[in-house]
Amino acid sequence: MTRISEVVRLNVDDIQMSARKGGLRLYGKGDKFREVDMHPKLRTELQLWLDERPNWPHAADNRALFLNAKGGRLSARAAGGIIAEIARTAGLDDATTAHVLRHTLATTLVRGKADLVLVAEILGHARLETTRRYSLPSDKDKEDALKLITVDR
C-alpha cells in the first residue's frame, strides 16, 4: 500500500495499464523509485478516473494524477481530509487516516500469514525491521498460545 505522499506525487504517466495488468511507478521516501502492481479492482476504478480527469480544470496543463478544484496537484493534507470525510460518511467512529489504512493493511497481511519480505516490498520498506512491528503478537495471540500448553494432572 502506498503512502499518501506517494499517491499525491503520482503523475498520469506513472500509470502502466494493459488489458490484463496494471502498475504504478511510485516515488517514496528519499525520492526512491519503486513499481507496484495494482489490484484488478483498483485498475478498473483508476481507468474510470482517467476517463473523467480531462474534464477537470487545467487538466491539460498539469500531469498530476489527482487535481484539486483549481487544477493544481492535490496536497497530502487535502487527500487526508478526503479520506477522513469518506470515513465519517461511512459512519466510522475511529479517526481514519491514510496511515491507519496503511497500518491496517500491513497488519492484515501479516496476520494472514503473508511472507514478511513480501509485505515489506508492498509497503516500500527499505528495512525488514520496520515491517516486523506488524508481526508482534497481540494479547489474543499470547492468550491462545498459553492455551496450547498441556498440564499434567
Side-chain angles (χ1 to χ4, degrees):
M1 176 153 192
T2 61
R3 297 172 182 91
I4 194 77
S5 60
E6 294 171 330
V7 171
V8 297
R9 286 182 69 179
L10 281 169
N11 290 325
V12 173
D13 55 350
D14 290 329
I15 301 166
Q16 299 100 29
M17 298 252 252
S18 69
R20 295 177 36 179
K21 195 173 178 185
L24 300 172
R25 186 178 325 120
L26 300 170
Y27 297 90
K29 287 186 173 181
D31 286 328
K32 291 183 182 172
F33 156 81
R34 67 187 171 109
E35 290 188 0
V36 297
D37 292 331
M38 276 190 275
H39 188 280
K41 177 73 173 163
L42 175 60
R43 195 171 70 234
T44 301
E45 294 297 323
L46 191 54
Q47 187 58 58
L48 292 172
W49 170 246
L50 289 172
D51 293 343
E52 177 63 28
R53 187 187 175 280
N55 299 323
W56 278 68
H58 306 287
D61 305 330
N62 194 330
R63 299 307 303 153
L65 179 61
F66 298 109
L67 303 172
N68 62 29
K70 294 180 181 178
R73 182 178 296 276
L74 188 68
S75 69
R77 182 178 175 133
I82 291 167
I83 291 169
E85 183 58 31
I86 291 169
R88 275 192 298 277
T89 302
L92 300 179
D93 293 330
D94 297 334
T96 302
T97 65
H99 188 72
V100 166
L101 294 174
R102 181 176 160 82
H103 191 286
T104 301
L105 171 75
T107 302
T108 301
L109 291 174
V110 169
R111 297 228 182 268
K113 307 297 184 217
D115 182 76
L116 210 53
V117 173
L118 176 62
V119 175
E121 187 171 321
I122 289 170
L123 295 174
H125 288 163
R127 296 179 47 226
L128 193 57
E129 188 60 30
T130 305
T131 311
R132 187 176 116 17
R133 70 176 172 229
Y134 298 109
S135 67
L136 296 175
S138 67
D139 289 341
K140 182 173 179 345
D141 294 332
K142 294 172 190 174
E143 186 180 310
D144 290 347
L146 286 174
K147 290 177 184 174
L148 296 173
I149 298 171
T150 56
V151 180
D152 290 339
R153 292 190 184 213

